[in-house]
Structure formats: C-alpha cells, structure tokens
Amino acid sequence: LQQQQQQQHFIPIDRESRTNCQIVYIVGVEGATHHGFIPILENLASHQIDPRTDTPYHVDSDPRAIKAGLFGWFGAKIKKWGFDKTPDVDDPDFVRRVVSESCPDDGRKHVLIEWASFPSGQEDDKRSYRVHRQHGWLDMTPEEIANTDEALSHPTSMNAFYQAYSPYVDIKFVVLHRPFLETIASHRDWDGGPSVHSNIIRGFMLVLRRFLDAHVFDLVSGSRLWMLVCVQNIMAKNYDTPEEVTTARSNVMANLADFLGWPTRECEHCWDDWRESKKDPRTVLGEENVG
C-alpha cells in the first residue's frame, strides 16, 4: 500500500519510454575511481544486444542532454530548446525535452552513462552548475555540510532527479565505494589539504547515504535501485593470483549485468583500460594527516 501511494508521484508512467531509455549513474564521492570505472561499464554495455529487436544497445558515456538537465551545463543548448534561462532539475517541460533528446524513438534501447562525482569541480569552475562547490564548506563539519541546501543540490539534486525522470527513464545507480584513505589521497591538495578535504568528502558521504537509504527500491518497477561496487574487490593488489583477479572481476560484471537487466554477463575486454594506483595512501597523505 505504501509503495502504491508513493507511486502516485509518478503518474502517468511512460512504460515504453522506460523500456527504451536507461540512465546508469555511477555514483560516488570525489576520488572513488569514476574515471577508471566508466570505460568498464561502457564496454559491458556495448556487448549488449536487445532481445526484443536483436539490435545493439546505443550507449552514450558523454550524454550532453542529460548533463544539461541534471547540472545546468550547455546553456546554448538549453536556449536552443526554447528556454530563456536554465530551468530547475525537475521542471516537467525541461525533463521531457531532455528525455526526448537523449532517447529518440528510433527502435533502439538507449543507455546513458553519467558519472559526475559528489562534490564536483572547483568553486570557480567554468561549467555552469546550478550550484557550485561552496567556499563555506571549508569551515563546516561533515554534518553541517550535509544539511545545507547547497550540498543537497550539488552537483544536482538526487531526489529531484529521481522523482522527475523516473516516469520516463529506467534509472539505476552504481555506487562506488573505495577505501577512505585512498579516496582522500587521490585529491590530497584539494580544499586546502587532506584534513579539510576529508571533512567535505564525509559530508557528501552523508548526503549520498541518506538518499540511498531512502531509495532502496525503484518505486515504479519494484526492482533494486542501486548496487554497491567495492573498489577493493576489483583491485589486483588484493589477490594472490591472476586467476583470483579474473574470477572476482567476472563476478562483478555478472552481478552488474543482472542488476541492470542486461542479457550479456561476460565482457572479455572490459578491464583492458583499467589502471591501479601503486601509491601508498599513507605516504601520499603524510603520517601527520593519518589518525
């Protein structure tokens, strides 16, 4: 009954559009290895054949219309669509235009891979985020950051995105979790240094945790909305033999395909571009910054 009541937010639901249009958002804080994981997921998607039409998926790992919709980028494109100023994330007319541009009705299944991290960019980033990284976060605790309207809207409002796009798009979140020291070490000089940077990252961990805890299942289909990928489980350095590495990564690919509803679970060359950092995060951060 509760799920039925919550589904009222999504009426009417365009089920044909949801069948042909999927957004896979690789979610994680800054430093969670988004850039390394994008080609893996893109490669897996490129192996898929739609069993309904016997045609390959159309895969876009740089979905500009989606970036315009979620983040407010590409102002010229937005004006070309007939909007004088950048609408809100959940503006109904804007959402429908973004979806029609991203997933044209051409008989193909469209898979759009988004990956902007939490947080994203710098305070003076030239990209036209609706809400940029905030200078005030430098002096806040993680809890204070997570409670600000700015953090809840940067780089986009996850709740507004999910609520507005779900009637038209099958949304799936692939959540990357990397050991904390490695995460912080990857951007150790950002935000003035490791201590403040770690506070900001922990703030966005709270933002993401609260959203994910509140959205375990898709309210339209009832299927799982997000899947956790532990980065340490795909790192070769954590295994003794190449065979163990291959098995672990194959399991991740199979689980991902099942979660995303993709028919092909094998991906021979998915890991060809994967590179692992050989740096010791404690050395990178300095013992004075590691408690």
Side-chain angles (χ1 to χ4, degrees):
L1 177 61
Q2 183 179 8
Q3 181 170 330
Q4 290 177 341
Q5 291 172 339
Q6 290 171 321
Q7 281 180 335
Q8 300 303 313
H9 295 292
F10 297 140
I11 293 175
I13 297 169
D14 188 335
R15 297 193 181 277
E16 183 65 21
S17 177
R18 278 180 56 97
T19 298
N20 295 322
C21 191
Q22 184 179 53
I23 296 176
V24 183
Y25 198 135
I26 304 174
V27 172
V29 294
E30 223 162 40
T33 68
H34 293 79
H35 292 286
F37 203 76
I38 295 164
I40 295 170
L41 189 60
E42 183 180 15
N43 204 321
L44 180 62
S46 70
H47 282 69
Q48 307 302 319
I49 302 294
D50 189 342
R52 299 172 305 131
T53 61
D54 202 32
T55 57
Y57 288 4
H58 176 257
V59 183
D60 188 354
S61 61
D62 186 26
R64 296 203 161 202
I66 293 296
K67 293 180 187 297
L70 269 61
F71 314 128
W73 295 4
F74 309 121
K77 180 187 290 290
I78 293 171
K79 287 184 178 179
K80 185 178 178 181
W81 291 344
F83 298 94
D84 294 332
K85 62 179 182 178
T86 302
D88 292 337
V89 176
D90 54 359
D91 177 276
D93 291 335
F94 191 43
V95 170
R96 284 190 289 268
R97 185 57 188 265
V98 169
V99 173
S100 66
E101 291 283 335
S102 303
C103 300
D105 185 11
D106 57 7
R108 296 184 294 175
K109 181 179 179 71
H110 297 267
V111 174
L112 313 161
I113 301 174
E114 184 46 58
W115 52 270
S117 65
F118 293 75
S120 283
Q122 300 288 354
E123 293 175 32
D124 58 353
D125 201 299
K126 291 183 172 26
R127 292 170 292 185
S128 52
Y129 290 101
R130 291 185 183 86
V131 177
H132 278 72
R133 196 187 200 99
Q134 300 292 298
H135 186 77
W137 295 339
L138 298 174
D139 300 315
M140 293 184 184
T141 66
E143 183 76 26
E144 289 170 339
I145 293 168
N147 289 335
T148 63
D149 290 338
E150 291 82 2
L152 291 171
S153 300
H154 174 82
T156 192
S157 167
M158 292 283 276
N159 191 60
F161 159 54
Y162 175 65
Q163 295 282 341
Y165 281 79
S166 284
Y168 312 101
V169 181
D170 175 27
I171 298 173
K172 296 290 188 183
F173 297 105
V174 176
V175 183
L176 297 181
H177 176 74
R178 186 182 187 186
F180 189 70
L181 289 184
E182 294 180 19
T183 300
I184 302 305
S186 68
H187 295 80
R188 63 148 290 159
D189 295 323
W190 286 35
D191 302 312
S195 179
V196 175
H197 180 58
S198 68
N199 269 353
I200 292 175
I201 292 302
R202 284 187 289 151
F204 277 89
M205 284 179 169
L206 283 173
V207 170
L208 292 177
R209 173 65 185 271
R210 290 168 181 172
F211 172 79
L212 295 171
D213 280 351
H215 298 83
V216 178
F217 298 102
D218 181 18
L219 293 174
V220 176
S221 68
S223 61
R224 185 87 188 190
L225 187 61
W226 55 271
M227 171 184 166
L228 182 67
V229 174
C230 295
V231 175
Q232 64 265 37
N233 291 345
I234 59 177
M235 293 281 198
K237 66 181 181 181
N238 294 324
Y239 296 94
D240 295 325
T241 67
E243 291 75 19
E244 290 178 345
V245 176
T246 299
T247 298
R249 292 176 176 176
S250 295
N251 288 338
V252 170
M253 292 294 95
N255 291 337
L256 264 176
D258 291 346
F259 164 68
L260 295 169
W262 296 353
T264 301
R265 306 168 86 228
E266 295 81 23
C267 186
E268 185 177 354
H269 296 290
C270 271
W271 301 91
D272 289 358
D273 296 323
W274 175 256
R275 300 291 181 269
E276 296 184 11
S277 174
K278 300 294 193 293
K279 297 177 181 178
D280 178 357
R282 288 181 171 271
T283 301
V284 173
L285 293 170
E287 288 299 330
E288 69 277 10
N289 292 308
V290 180

